[in-house]
Amino acid sequence: MKIAVETRSARKDREIIEAATAAFIAKGYDGTSMEEIATRAGASKQTVYKHFKDKETLFSEVVESTASQTNDVVESVTVLLSEAKFLEGGLQQLARQLTTTLMNNELLRLRRLIIANADRMPQLGRSWYDKGFERMLASVGACFQKLTSRGLLQTGDPRLAASHFFGMLLWIPMNEAMFTGSNPRSKADLERHADASVEAFLAAYGVRSK
């Protein structure tokens, strides 16, 4: 198997993006300077400008990089909602994974930052939504369609059912975190919430025994 080797330039891009992510989360967009990002990355300001032409471009890269991290979550949806895994409790496993992943404190802080800058950089909010949440919603909806066709769920509109699934999982804990500035819930509490959401979802969309 051929292993991809990170080039020097790609490594520096990654280091700068990681430093910028930490700086933006800590001080916000307006409070962060390219000089501070360079210091955090252990590079000169000239090097940062060589890789990214301005702060807005770098912020865009931070958003794109974080949105792409949902790839692993999307892949887990397909695995956990296969027919065999679904019958073994895959929906509960998925609910727990989604809740704990999306309620990660760093991700929540970046989400607030994107929302705060949505008016002046709407394309970044759209990119975050399309490549993150929208992809997960589409993936779950497609899996619900397959499970419905195999008689394991009852969903007249699989996409709407996916919306209900995410709504029950995230509406309360996500809004609580957005308005309070932190995630006050423990992992155990989030998992109990996820389990209760799955129970309610299957009461509405599960196949009832005759």
Side-chain angles (χ1 to χ4, degrees):
M1 183 177 66
K2 191 174 181 179
I3 299 175
V5 178
E6 187 179 42
T7 65
R8 183 177 179 181
S9 178
R11 183 175 67 253
K12 183 53 66 178
D13 279 354
R14 176 176 54 78
E15 290 171 353
I16 293 171
I17 290 171
E18 288 173 354
T21 301
F24 285 134
I25 287 175
K27 296 192 172 183
Y29 181 80
D30 290 327
T32 298
S33 67
M34 293 291 268
E35 185 173 0
E36 179 176 358
I37 292 170
T39 299
R40 285 177 179 262
S44 67
K45 192 160 65 169
Q46 288 76 13
T47 297
V48 174
Y49 276 113
K50 180 180 177 182
H51 285 256
F52 304 97
K53 68 178 183 178
D54 54 33
K55 188 168 73 169
E56 184 172 339
T57 299
L58 186 46
F59 185 52
S60 175
E61 288 295 329
V62 167
V63 173
E64 292 285 333
S65 175
T66 308
S68 68
Q69 291 175 16
T70 60
N71 288 341
D72 291 342
V73 178
V74 171
E75 289 176 8
S76 72
V77 168
T78 304
V79 173
L80 292 172
L81 293 186
S82 66
E83 183 172 347
K85 287 290 184 181
F86 178 80
L87 291 170
E88 295 172 359
L91 189 62
Q92 182 188 52
Q93 294 176 55
L94 177 63
R96 288 186 170 198
Q97 182 176 333
L98 285 171
T99 305
T100 54
T101 297
L102 296 177
M103 293 296 294
N104 171 271
N105 278 320
E106 182 174 302
L107 197 60
L108 288 171
R109 288 194 288 267
L110 189 57
R111 180 189 178 101
R112 290 189 203 99
L113 186 58
I114 293 168
I115 292 171
N117 290 279
D119 286 341
R120 60 176 162 179
M121 290 181 271
Q123 74 283 2
L124 295 185
R126 172 50 62 184
S127 178
W128 169 282
Y129 184 84
D130 288 345
K131 294 182 179 180
F133 194 79
E134 181 68 22
R135 277 191 70 211
M136 287 187 283
L137 188 63
S139 183
V140 170
C143 288
F144 283 174
Q145 174 67 67
K146 292 177 182 178
L147 291 169
T148 297
S149 68
R150 292 169 186 168
L152 298 175
L153 284 178
Q154 299 180 114
T155 61
D157 185 339
R159 174 71 175 228
L160 181 59
S163 295
H164 290 162
F165 177 67
F166 276 103
M168 285 189 287
L169 278 181
L170 298 170
W171 189 73
I172 290 297
M174 183 67 76
N175 277 292
E176 183 180 30
M178 287 293 101
F179 285 103
T180 61
S182 64
N183 174 16
R185 300 190 177 216
S186 66
K187 181 179 178 182
D189 188 32
L190 287 173
E191 288 183 346
R192 283 193 295 271
H193 177 81
D195 292 348
S197 297
V198 169
E199 184 178 354
F201 178 84
L202 291 178
Y205 290 106
V207 176
R208 299 170 180 78
S209 301
K210 294 183 180 180

